[in-house]
Amino acid sequence: KAGVTQTPRYLIKTRGQQVTLSCSPISGHRSVSWYQQTPGQGLQFLFEYFSETQRNKGNFPGRFSGRQFSNSRSEMNVSTLELGDSALYLCASSFLQGVDTGELFFGEGSRLTVL
Amino acid sequence: EDKVVQSPLSLVVHEGDTVTLNCSYEVTNFRSLLWYKQEKKAPTFLFMLTSSGIEKKSGRLSSILDKKELFSILNITATQTGDSAIYLCAVVGGSARQLTFGSGTQLTVLP
């Protein structure tokens, strides 16, 4: 069974640009959530999608957005990049909405560097 | 604001030692506490704890939750170099039932 796949794995952007990251969940999983991981802040929740609808959102500015497609694949977009957006962006999938089942399956992340 | 605090931030031990990692939390509408191991990139699930006083065990790893005192510990006995990783604690709670992560404990096991 294939795991959670994130693309691209690494990317470098400059300030002011925008970026789109992609996440393909485990087959059959309908929930996709996104996290930002930085050395100073740890893992921070961005948002969660379930059945193409955003269900939960963390405390991030509107420059961070996402969507989910009918096949459960999800994309997140960051516009007007800032230096502080440099981070590892992790996607996690689960069968049910939220984390009531406990077990999230994480992808290996997309490492974004903003210069 | 929901908060999860892990201690210590980092720990260096030798193979065969036993370690205890701590996680305390302040979360509204607590639902569960999760432990993850992050070796390189992708965190992998270890335990989910919902009830106080019930130990979860998997091989040399075990964890217990104290809902009265709002903390959990993760024990690793007879540590091996392969246990070197960041151990993340996360709590499910709040009105949005979202995960709040601690900053993690970096464990290094020396041969």
Side-chain angles (χ1 to χ4, degrees), chain A residues 45-62:
Chain A
F45 173 74
L46 280 156
F47 27 64
E48 179 194 7
Y49 287 87
F50 183 82
S51 295
E52 302 177 64
T53 302
Q54 186 181 88
R55 303 291 178 158
N56 293 314
K57 191 175 191 307
N59 295 324
F60 278 81

Side-chain angles (χ1 to χ4, degrees), chain B residues 26-45:
Chain B
E26 291 177 31
V27 173
T28 55
N29 301 318
F30 173 88
R31 297 180 70 88
S32 58
L33 185 144
L34 311 169
W35 284 97
Y36 291 88
K37 177 182 181 183
Q38 186 175 23
E39 292 181 79
K40 290 180 181 176
K41 294 283 179 67
T44 53
F45 173 79

Side-chain angles (χ1 to χ4, degrees), chain A residues 31-53:
Chain A
S31 172
V32 173
S33 50
W34 289 89
Y35 296 85
Q36 181 195 65
Q37 188 174 31
T38 58
Q41 299 294 322
L43 263 161
Q44 292 186 289
F45 173 74
L46 280 156
F47 27 64
E48 179 194 7
Y49 287 87
F50 183 82
S51 295
E52 302 177 64
T53 302

Side-chain angles (χ1 to χ4, degrees), chain A residues 6-115:
Chain A
Q6 291 189 245
T7 56
R9 294 288 307 279
Y10 302 91
L11 66 166
I12 299 174
K13 293 284 187 178
T14 56
R15 276 184 300 175
Q17 287 187 310
Q18 75 162 20
V19 66
T20 299
L21 309 177
S22 178
C23 172
S24 294
I26 290 173
S27 178
H29 284 192
R30 296 164 63 193
S31 172
V32 173
S33 50
W34 289 89
Y35 296 85
Q36 181 195 65
Q37 188 174 31
T38 58
Q41 299 294 322
L43 263 161
Q44 292 186 289
F45 173 74
L46 280 156
F47 27 64
E48 179 194 7
Y49 287 87
F50 183 82
S51 295
E52 302 177 64
T53 302
Q54 186 181 88
R55 303 291 178 158
N56 293 314
K57 191 175 191 307
N59 295 324
F60 278 81
R63 300 185 297 107
F64 292 81
S65 63
R67 58 179 175 168
Q68 187 179 34
F69 303 96
S70 58
N71 62 357
S72 293
R73 189 178 71 85
S74 177
E75 289 182 345
M76 70 162 280
N77 185 76
V78 188
S79 62
T80 320
L81 284 166
E82 301 176 359
L83 295 179
D85 297 333
S86 295
L88 179 67
Y89 290 88
L90 290 164
C91 161
S93 78
S94 61
F95 180 69
L96 296 174
Q97 179 189 343
V99 293
D100 288 349
T101 60
E103 190 164 2
L104 291 180
F105 294 85
F106 282 87
E108 295 207 325
S110 294
R111 170 74 65 186
L112 170 66
T113 301
V114 182
L115 302 176

